[in-house]
RNA sequence: GCCGACGUAGCUCAGCGGCAGAGCAAGGGACUCAUAAGCCCUUGGCCGGUGGUUCGAUUCCACCCGUCGGCACCA
């Protein structure tokens, strides 16, 4: 079954998210791709796959040095703090990577240098002058167009000096044809399709080499991965950052693990770094003689209340804050349900409250509550055995199958919103089923007790299936559903139990109150 | 300017050659197991505009109008 849906399915699955610059606390905008990757990773675990899910922080940037200085810290102390902050933020969202890479780790330095050596050996690195306007405050180069009236765009008082320095460059220009072939070789090498078209367009316009090192001398603080054979240079952002994906999967220290998980199944990235993941990275790997990724899934950005997320405008939401208010499952659900992965999507407190109330509390929570209550009231809390299914029961079973297949297909296509939409049709169908069978009426008729048993049994079973189907998205709530059904939460390999009568029999229920209690007060619209 | 997309119900979007769909929002109803929840019904669309291809176009093509991304060392 799984192999039909995903021809490359090998019993292993590897996925990465973009690594973040730890120059401040993570905001809700960072969360979408982490939560999406986590949901897909959890799904693969349920499928019984051995999963590697790599995340991390990009600590080698000169921006980090600047941020640390501003905070009066050493870069080491600063990145240690940020490391804790980021891990805590992802943990609060129930995002559980199997591997966490900091680019300052020795193993990553080894990985980046090894990759660099291989690319050098293939003749794709050369030395040339890099020229630009250098701002000592930013410790960064700007192009002439970047300057504002000759001043640094970040520091109006600074007039950046025109500097040239010898840097190393990667011969990206030589890889246009091979990259085009690679992208054309798989429909879903880049998803969604419009991103693929965009990248092919870039290739047609011609590729330029990019610099992969910077002089280390800038302001004395040694920071970054030294270029092999030239200690005066450190690797410049992309060469170093992209290599984290290799580091996390065991390159070069753990060849067994690396062989098992590389090439990675999917890199999940934001649309802003499409070019680097779809062109720079595959070209670097081709040069190094390493297999290229199977897929890059590009997601859009989140807006907040219809506006760009911006710290300077104060248009930000701290994930921890909304998690505290609505619960982690509601935040995950809203991110995954409301935001089309392929384009930008809006997030707002109102929308979060709406999803919480409509989908989670009313549809799902209330469904579980009424089922558990009826089994309690009519059958002493023990789920009865089903009798012969009728048409309605067969429809319900069919609906469950459709929901499961939809979830599978849509997750494979990186459309978690569609996957959830499909699962919710089963949630709604189960509520409808209860209205059609009206167990509360059957309970009053002595001759209808067998029908009541069947109805309750199918409703309980639907809840059990829903618990498994929803578990990649809202693991906490899914486990609570299982808990009230008196069964274990979904475990690795349990996806196949997401069908009627394919799982452990439900016996004694364990009522525990509303899954998603009604929100206390109406959420006030956020003032503009 | 160039490249790429998008304009379908009040909102968010699906459909992409054969009688316009979903969820939310709005209005009405029957019920009572349940978190005043759930269920049923209804309202609501010249499918951006104009031409063309076709027996037939929301769906394909061209142009126009409008909106938005990208155009490379800022991640």
């Amino acid at each position: 079954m799984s192999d039909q849906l995903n021809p490359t399915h090998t019993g292993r699955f590897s996925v990465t998210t973009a690594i973040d610059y730890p120059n401040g606390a993570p905001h809700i905008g960072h969360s979408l791709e982490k939560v999406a990757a986590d949901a897909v990773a959890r799904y693969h675990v349920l499928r019984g796959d051995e999963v590697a899910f790599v995340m991390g922080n990009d600590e080698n940037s000169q921006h980090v040095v600047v941020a640390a200085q501003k905070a009066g810290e050493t870069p080491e102390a600063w990145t240690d703090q940020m490391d804790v902050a980021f891990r805590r933020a992802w943990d609060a969202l129930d995002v559980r990577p199997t591997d966490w890479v900091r680019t300052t780790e020795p193993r990553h330095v080894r990985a980046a240098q090894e990759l660099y050596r291989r690319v050098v050996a293939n003749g794709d690195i050369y030395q040339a002058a890099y020229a630009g306007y250098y701002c000592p405050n930013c410790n960064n180069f700007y192009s002439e167009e970047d300057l504002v009236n000759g001043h640094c765009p970040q520091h109006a008082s600074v007039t950046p000096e025109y500097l040239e320095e010898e840097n190393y460059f990667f011969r990206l220009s030589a890889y246009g044809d091979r990259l085009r072939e690679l992208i054309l070789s798989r429909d879903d090498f880049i998803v969604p399709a419009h991103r693929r078209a965009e990248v092919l367009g870039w290739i047609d316009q011609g590729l330029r080499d990019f610099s992969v090192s910077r002089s280390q001398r800038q302001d004395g603080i040694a920071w970054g991965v030294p270029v092999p054979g030239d200690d005066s240079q450190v690797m410049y952002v992309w060469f170093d950052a992209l290599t984290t994906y290799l580091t996390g999967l065991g390159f070069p220290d753990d060849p067994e693990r690396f062989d098992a998980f590389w090439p990675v199944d999917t890199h999940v990235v934001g649309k802003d770094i499409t070019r680097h993941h779809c062109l720079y990275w595959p070209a670097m790997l081709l040069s190094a003689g390493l297999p290229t990724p199977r897929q890059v899934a590009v997601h859009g950005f989140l807006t907040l209340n219809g506006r760009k997320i911006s710290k300077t405008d104060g248009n930000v939401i701290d994930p921890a804050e909304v998690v505290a208010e609505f619960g982690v499952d509601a935040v995950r659900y809203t991110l995954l349900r409301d935001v089309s992965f392929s384009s930008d999507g809006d997030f707002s407190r109102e929308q979060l409250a709406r999803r919480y109330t409509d989908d989670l509390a009313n549809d799902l929570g209330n469904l579980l509550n009424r089922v558990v209550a009826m089994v309690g009231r009519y059958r002493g809390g023990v789920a009865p055995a089903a009798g012969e299914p009728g048409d309605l029961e067969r429809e319900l079973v069919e609906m469950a199958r459709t929901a499961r297949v939809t979830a599978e297909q849509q997750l494979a296509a990186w459309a978690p919103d569609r996957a959830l939409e499909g699962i919710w049709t089963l949630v709604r169908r189960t509520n409808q089923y209860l209205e059609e069978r009206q167990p509360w009426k059957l309970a009053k008729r002595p001759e209808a007790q067998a029908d009541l048993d069947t109805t309750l049994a199918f409703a309980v079973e639907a809840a059990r299936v829903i618990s498994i189907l929803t578990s990649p998205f809202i693991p906490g709530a899914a486990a609570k559903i299982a808990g009230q059904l008196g069964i274990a939460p979904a475990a690795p390999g349990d996806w196949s139990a997401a069908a009627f009568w394919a799982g452990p029999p439900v016996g004694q229920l364990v009522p525990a109150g509303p899954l998603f209690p009604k929100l206390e007060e109406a959420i006030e619209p956020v003032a503009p």
Side-chain angles (χ1 to χ4, degrees), chain A residues 172 179 199 202-203 207 274-283:
Chain A
L172 180 66
L179 288 168
V199 173
W202 290 337
I203 295 174
L207 300 177
T274 307
R275 174 185 301 273
H276 314 92
H277 285 79
C278 297
L279 296 175
Y280 290 19
W281 182 229

Side-chain angles (χ1 to χ4, degrees), chain A residues 170-252:
Chain A
F170 174 74
R171 217 178 290 280
L172 180 66
S173 58
Y175 283 89
D177 290 339
R178 292 180 70 185
L179 288 168
R180 187 186 291 106
E181 271 174 47
L182 173 67
I183 293 165
L184 292 174
S185 71
R186 286 177 60 95
D187 286 348
D188 61 349
F189 179 71
I190 300 168
V191 292
H194 69 266
R195 296 290 169 202
R196 182 173 184 260
E198 190 172 38
V199 173
L200 287 169
W202 290 337
I203 295 174
D204 291 341
Q205 288 162 35
L207 300 177
R208 294 207 293 266
D209 297 344
F210 62 94
S211 62
V212 296
S213 75
R214 281 291 185 273
S215 167
Q216 174 65 10
R217 63 177 151 67
Q218 303 300 341
D219 64 358
I221 294 183
W223 197 249
V225 178
V227 167
D230 186 348
D231 286 346
S232 74
Q233 302 260 322
V234 291
M235 291 185 194
Y236 185 59
V237 53
W238 285 109
F239 201 96
D240 167 17
L242 290 162
T243 309
T244 19
Y245 304 135
L246 298 179
T247 307
L249 295 176
F251 181 86

